[in-house]
Amino acid sequence: MAAAAASPARFYGVNISSFAKSTPRSSVRCHNFFVALSSSSPSPFTESTSSKRYRRDSWAYGSADLAARFSSPPLCDKENEIALQLPELKRLLETLKAAKKSCSDGGGGGGGRPGSVVLVGTGPGDPELLTLKAVWAIERADLILYDRLVSNDVLSLVGGNARLLYVGKTAGYHSRTQEEIHELLLNFAEAGANVVRLKGGDPLVFGRGGEEMDFLQRQGIEVKVIPGITSASGIAAELGIPLTHRGIANSVRFLTGHSRNGGTDPLYVAENAADPESTLVIYMGLSTLPGLASKLMKHGLSPKTPAVAVERGTTPQQQTVFAELDKLVSEVKLANLVSPTLIIIGHVVAQSPLWPRSSEEQSELQMRQSCSTRQ
């Protein structure tokens, strides 16, 4: 069917079948057209009552049966969970301290020195996006503290000798405060353990890795950082979106949709972010998207600016919504997207082969590309 004879939605529908065969990992919605490319399946991440989480962490409860009690909703009892974990955590600490003292007394290679902490970025979810250095760090770990957005597929790579402990946070449920996480990292490193702190994406991009690094270094603990592919890069690549593109976007800006104090409108930067020659990437911005979209348009960004919202990007459960900025909020609501969802706003979104194009838009794209090649 000729492109000129189709509306954007229909034109996308005609071509989606070939995409479905080559990319079975996701679902894509554009305007009022939605095609499910995979059956519904459990979350690829560690939810607060995930049974996998309790099986992984069963050592910390002393028994698998005790851990299983917490894996049935609606049990999210942080205080009781921590109380049950304390004896095993203390036992592991004592074992590590004894091993460290034994090495020190026996003159074995610097056994008196503290252990180390490695902050490891695991990317947006696809285990094939892990770096080799990240895999090696995971293999050498004694204890791994992991977040919610470290995918189950990544965690399946952890060796049998390492102890896993969930310290993730989600809306309404923080398994540990940030201060408690700091103390866990410090206590086990001081006991001589090789501690790996696993974080989704990159640990230094909205991952609070800087806070953990600063705290530990002030306590004299060696900290190394292994970068991960941040969600902006991984998801953009998955969709064929260049975050910068000559003649279209000369800069990219990462924003957070969460305020430090939990307010509903952290996006006060919208006045300066409404730049048609820049790409905006919003992390954790699902709840504040209505306010952000409105403010960007109020400050001059065209309502017709291409945009995309991507839930659980790069995983088999990926859901994708393409829409112009003035329609994005309603389309996201229709698609029932949930966290984690990344939002990309800017003309580069239309560079994706999945973006629906009318004949006029196709001509405009070709003109842009022609101009950029001459610059």
Side-chain angles (χ1 to χ4, degrees):
M1 182 180 293
S7 67
R10 265 189 81 195
F11 181 66
Y12 190 77
V14 168
N15 287 276
I16 196 68
S17 58
S18 60
F19 172 68
K21 293 175 183 176
S22 62
T23 315
R25 73 156 83 231
S26 61
S27 300
V28 179
R29 181 183 184 94
C30 191
H31 302 287
N32 294 316
F33 187 74
F34 181 77
V35 176
L37 303 181
S38 64
S39 58
S40 62
S41 53
S43 170
F45 302 112
T46 303
E47 305 304 337
S48 58
T49 54
S50 163
S51 60
K52 287 184 179 180
R53 165 199 164 186
Y54 290 95
R55 286 197 296 271
R56 280 193 292 258
D57 298 4
S58 61
W59 69 273
Y61 296 87
S63 75
D65 291 340
L66 195 57
R69 284 175 45 196
F70 285 88
S71 64
S72 302
L75 285 177
C76 285
D77 192 340
K78 173 188 170 183
E79 286 72 23
N80 280 341
E81 282 192 60
I82 292 177
L84 286 170
Q85 291 172 353
L86 277 176
E88 290 300 323
L89 289 171
K90 288 179 179 178
R91 190 172 291 116
L92 179 58
L93 265 177
E94 292 306 315
T95 300
L96 290 165
K97 287 177 180 177
K100 177 184 173 184
K101 185 176 186 302
S102 175
C103 288
S104 179
D105 292 345
R113 291 198 300 268
S116 63
V117 175
V118 185
L119 308 181
V120 177
T122 63
D126 183 350
E128 294 183 0
L129 295 179
L130 275 175
T131 64
L132 286 174
K133 199 168 186 178
V135 173
W136 294 334
I138 291 169
E139 289 174 347
R140 291 192 296 265
D142 298 312
L143 177 68
I144 294 176
L145 305 185
Y146 65 100
D147 278 347
R148 176 197 168 211
L149 296 184
V150 177
S151 72
N152 293 319
D153 287 340
V154 168
L155 290 170
S156 69
L157 301 174
V158 175
N161 294 327
R163 303 295 182 100
L164 284 150
L165 186 66
Y166 178 70
V167 293
K169 305 183 185 82
T170 188
Y173 176 72
H174 288 192
S175 64
R176 292 289 196 284
T177 65
Q178 191 62 42
E179 291 72 23
E180 288 169 337
I181 294 170
H182 287 173
E183 291 300 325
L184 281 168
L185 292 169
L186 175 62
N187 289 337
F188 279 95
E190 285 183 333
N194 292 320
V195 184
V196 165
R197 179 74 170 97
L198 282 188
K199 295 173 173 286
D202 183 275
L204 302 183
V205 179
F206 301 127
R208 303 192 75 167
E211 296 172 41
E212 294 171 2
M213 183 166 55
D214 179 59
F215 171 80
L216 291 166
Q217 288 174 338
R218 283 190 282 109
Q219 310 303 318
I221 301 298
E222 179 186 7
V223 182
K224 295 180 180 178
V225 179
I226 298 176
I229 294 177
T230 189
S231 295
S233 298
I235 291 172
E238 181 83 3
L239 300 179
I241 297 172
L243 292 175
T244 62
H245 191 92
R246 190 168 60 169
I248 298 176
N250 55 26
S251 65
V252 58
R253 185 168 189 172
F254 295 170
L255 307 175
T256 173
H258 280 182
S259 68
R260 182 173 181 179
N261 297 318
T264 58
D265 186 20
L267 300 165
Y268 58 89
V269 297
E271 180 175 358
N272 296 322
D275 178 1
E277 295 186 352
S278 183
T279 304
L280 299 181
V281 183
I282 302 95
Y283 291 69
M284 304 169 287
L286 199 57
S287 62
T288 50
L289 176 60
L292 171 66
S294 174
K295 286 187 174 231
L296 289 173
M297 290 184 286
K298 176 182 176 182
H299 290 294
L301 201 60
S302 169
K304 301 305 177 186
T305 302
V308 63
V310 189
E311 172 196 315
R312 299 169 176 175
T314 79
T315 74
Q317 293 81 12
Q318 178 175 304
Q319 302 276 351
T320 305
V321 174
F322 284 94
E324 291 169 339
L325 182 58
D326 60 349
K327 297 183 180 70
L328 184 63
V329 172
S330 60
E331 291 299 316
V332 164
K333 190 175 295 186
L334 281 171
N336 293 315
L337 296 192
V338 299
S339 172
T341 291
L342 187 86
I343 299 156
I344 305 176
I345 300 171
H347 290 289
V348 291
V349 173
Q351 296 290 310
S352 169
L354 308 180
W355 178 260
R357 295 184 182 89
S358 64
S359 56
E360 292 82 4
E361 289 173 323
Q362 185 66 32
S363 298
E364 182 180 351
L365 174 63
Q366 291 172 348
M367 287 182 62
R368 282 176 179 265
Q369 292 173 334
S370 176
C371 289
S372 68
T373 57
R374 291 198 296 266
Q375 290 178 357

